[in-house]
């Protein structure tokens, strides 16, 4: 397997044409972009079919241990990133912004086989999964004196995850709670929850009829953190961190 990568960065603030009136505020400005691929290999020997001896009522027989799959191959993720790095006020404030778009093909899953085959769960390359979002980070050293230094950092990111295709395979469940299965379904986030919602009758009562729905996502759509660091008298260091996630 080969995984090519390429990237380019351009430091605009070092060019002679960069406006002088901006230099007092914008100390550095760099734009960057990259493209690359990475992969995830299936567990060793899962291509091979193996057998196991089973006993029942003092009799022994052969059964499948690993079903095997001659067509099994690594999944491959292609990623495109673009963003910029900016330093303000002699780099006392730093801003990093990044947009990413990833597409995983031949995604690896343990997929249930036809019960009549006796194979059970089997590793297969199933469909395509996309991930898109932004990442923002702001660092600021807002106070510096002989006996006190203070800086803060704020980060925020978004994630949109979607199963683009199952390649013709039927939807299936991932390992999860029996009462709240996480599903792999086209057009939904990976691991979307399948729930039974009671159907209300016209008179406001319930008669035990349920409607199956796919809702939510196991991965937050927005997340981030905020940290504050203080140094007192050059010897006392105090730090605090808050993390958050939504969606």
């Amino acid at each position: 397997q080969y995984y090519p990568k390429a990237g380019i960065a351009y430091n605009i603030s070092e060019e002679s044409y960069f406006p002088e009136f901006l230099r007092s505020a914008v100390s550095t400005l760099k734009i960057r972009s990259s493209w690359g691929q990475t992969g995830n290999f299936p567990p060793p020997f899962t291509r091979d079919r193996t057998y196991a001896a089973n006993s029942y009522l003092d009799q022994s027989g052969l059964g499948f241990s690993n079903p095997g799959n001659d067509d099994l191959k690594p999944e491959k993720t292609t990623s495109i990133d673009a963003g910029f790095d900016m330093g303000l006020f002699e780099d006392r404030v730093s801003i990093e912004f990044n947009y990413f778009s990833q597409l995983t093909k031949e995604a690896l899953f343990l997929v249930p086989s036809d019960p009549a085959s006796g194979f059970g769960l089997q590793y297969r390359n199933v469909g395509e999964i996309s991930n898109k979002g932004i990442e923002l980070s702001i660092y600021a050293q807002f106070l510096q004196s002989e006996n006190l230094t203070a800086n803060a950092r704020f980060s925020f990111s978004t994630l949109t995850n979607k199963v683009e295709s199952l390649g013709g395979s039927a939807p299936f469940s991932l390992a999860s709670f029996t009462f709240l299965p996480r599903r792999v379904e086209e057009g939904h986030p990976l691991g979307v929850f399948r729930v039974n919602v009671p159907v209300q009758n016209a008179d406001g009562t319930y008669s035990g009829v349920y409607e199956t729905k796919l809702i939510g996502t196991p991965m937050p759509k927005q997340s981030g953190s905020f940290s504050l660091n203080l140094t007192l008298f050059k010897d006392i260091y105090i730090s605090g961190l808050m993390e958050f996630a939504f969606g």
Side-chain angles (χ1 to χ4, degrees):
Q1 296 294 317
Y2 63 95
Y3 302 111
K5 296 176 176 63
I8 187 171
Y10 182 30
N11 199 335
I12 302 177
S13 57
E14 292 187 359
E15 296 291 345
S16 58
Y17 61 77
F18 191 72
E20 282 294 334
F21 70 91
L22 289 179
R23 294 186 184 275
S24 59
V26 182
S27 46
T28 59
L29 177 60
K30 179 173 67 175
I31 58 175
R32 46 181 166 71
S33 180
S34 63
W35 172 92
Q37 291 183 330
T38 186
N40 183 30
F41 284 81
F45 309 113
T46 46
R47 288 173 58 110
D48 305 321
R49 178 173 296 179
T50 58
Y51 300 85
N54 301 302
S55 61
Y56 179 71
L57 297 178
D58 295 328
Q59 300 293 320
S60 62
L62 285 178
F64 294 114
S65 176
N66 178 55
N69 183 359
D70 290 336
D71 298 323
L72 197 63
K73 54 187 175 182
E75 65 182 17
K76 184 172 288 187
T77 299
T78 302
S79 178
I80 300 175
D81 295 79
F84 66 85
D85 302 328
M86 180 184 294
L88 304 175
F89 312 113
E90 298 182 352
D91 291 339
R92 287 184 175 271
V93 178
S94 299
I95 302 174
E96 297 180 9
F97 176 82
N98 190 58
Y99 166 81
F100 65 90
S101 177
Q102 299 175 340
L103 181 64
T104 300
K105 294 185 177 182
E106 308 291 350
L108 283 168
F109 286 104
L110 269 174
V111 181
S113 303
D114 185 341
S117 68
F119 287 156
L121 294 175
Q122 185 176 28
Y123 273 102
R124 295 181 186 171
N125 298 101
V126 180
E128 300 178 357
I129 302 170
S130 65
N131 289 287
K132 299 178 181 179
I134 63 170
E135 299 168 328
L136 173 66
S137 176
I138 302 175
Y139 169 83
Q141 185 174 341
F142 57 87
L143 185 60
Q144 185 173 16
S145 65
E146 184 178 354
N147 295 319
L148 176 62
T149 301
N151 60 70
R153 182 181 296 275
F154 171 79
S155 65
F156 177 77
S157 63
T158 66
L159 175 63
T160 300
N161 173 269
K162 184 180 178 182
V163 178
E164 301 287 350
S165 170
L166 286 178
S169 297
F172 56 93
S173 295
L174 300 172
S176 56
F177 295 107
T178 304
F179 66 89
L180 186 63
R182 293 186 296 124
R183 299 284 293 170
V184 180
E185 304 254 1
E186 283 189 5
H188 294 273
L190 180 62
V192 62
F193 300 108
R194 186 176 68 184
V195 298
N196 294 324
V197 181
V199 177
Q200 190 176 34
N201 299 322
D203 59 359
T205 62
Y206 295 91
S207 56
V209 178
Y210 293 89
E211 180 183 5
T212 300
K213 291 185 178 182
L214 300 172
I215 63 172
T217 171
M219 295 164 285
K221 296 180 180 179
Q222 302 93 25
S223 60
S225 65
F226 175 77
S227 63
L228 179 65
N229 304 296
L230 301 175
T231 303
L232 306 176
F233 308 108
K234 301 180 181 179
D235 293 320
I236 301 175
Y237 185 74
I238 304 172
S239 64
L241 172 67
M242 178 190 72
E243 295 180 318
F244 58 90
F246 300 100

